[in-house]
Every structure is written in C-alpha cells, then in structure tokens.
Amino acid sequence: GLELSHCVGTNSLGPTGPWRSGGPCKMKRVRTVFKPEQLERLEQEFLKQQYMVGTERVDLAATLHLTETQVKVWFQNRRIKWRKQSMEQKAAKLSQFGVIQPASADSTGSKDHEEDTVDVEL
C-alpha cells in the first residue's frame, strides 16, 4: 500500500504517487483519467459480466496498463451507475402506466454489496 506522511509540507519535487497535497495536512486522491480505448474495453467486459474477480481482473488490468485496484473500482462504480439507470428506467415505465413512485424512488435501497459504494482508490 501507500504510506502517507502526517503532514506534507511544500515540496518542489511535486507529489509522489496518486496523492497530492491540498495544503497543510490535507491529502487528496488524484482522479484516474481513463483513455477511450480502456473505457471501451472495460464497457465490453461489463456487458459480459458485471463482476470481475481474480485472475480475470489481473489479466484485464495488465492488458489495459492499469492497476488491479483501478479495474476493481471502475467495476464497482459502473455497477452503481447500472443500478441507477435500471431504477430510472423502471420508474419511467411505471409512470407511463400512471403508477406513481414513492418519494424515495431515487435511492436504490440496496445494501447487498456494500463494497460497491466505494469510489476511491487506495
């Protein structure tokens, strides 16, 4: 894993690793920017299977020149997006037939996969 110092002072060499200093004692994750080719391949794999684990994830990460954690987090975030889109589509279909959704229709209510709520990398 990454070791973070308590307080990163001003460093003319710049940040090291995926973290940068946002001021005294503040560390912020630098967001991963995926290349279009990487996103296309990740989406293709997601269409095949929504959960990428084990050697499949390791192999995909190596193929795309990403870390295993980046692939894992991308799949977690993509599942969240997919669930949200599914809920919105379901709500739209119900509204076409005059069925009124309850006020909490925007929350997924899914607690089955708590790890899917993670959107940061370590």
Side-chain angles (χ1 to χ4, degrees), residues 32-49:
T32 302
V33 179
F34 295 98
K35 296 176 183 172
E37 309 84 49
Q38 292 170 326
L39 288 172
E40 185 177 334
R41 177 67 189 276
L42 288 164
E43 288 288 351
Q44 286 174 357
E45 294 299 325
F46 185 80
L47 289 174
K48 293 180 195 173
Q49 58 188 27

Side-chain angles (χ1 to χ4, degrees), residues 40-111:
E40 185 177 334
R41 177 67 189 276
L42 288 164
E43 288 288 351
Q44 286 174 357
E45 294 299 325
F46 185 80
L47 289 174
K48 293 180 195 173
Q49 58 188 27
Q50 293 179 1
Y51 289 84
M52 176 75 57
V53 294
T55 56
E56 293 174 328
R57 184 167 61 208
V58 172
D59 293 343
L60 181 61
T63 300
L64 298 177
H65 306 290
L66 297 169
T67 66
E68 185 180 353
T69 302
Q70 286 172 318
V71 172
K72 179 186 85 166
V73 172
W74 185 91
F75 267 82
Q76 290 172 344
N77 290 335
R78 186 60 180 87
R79 285 191 296 271
I80 292 168
K81 180 179 177 182
W82 179 79
R83 286 188 194 118
K84 183 178 178 185
Q85 289 172 337
S86 296
M87 293 294 284
E88 288 172 354
Q89 288 174 354
K90 188 184 290 186
K93 285 181 182 177
L94 290 174
S95 68
Q96 284 179 344
F97 297 108
V99 178
I100 300 172
Q101 284 289 97
S104 63
D106 61 339
S107 69
T108 60
S110 173
K111 296 288 182 192

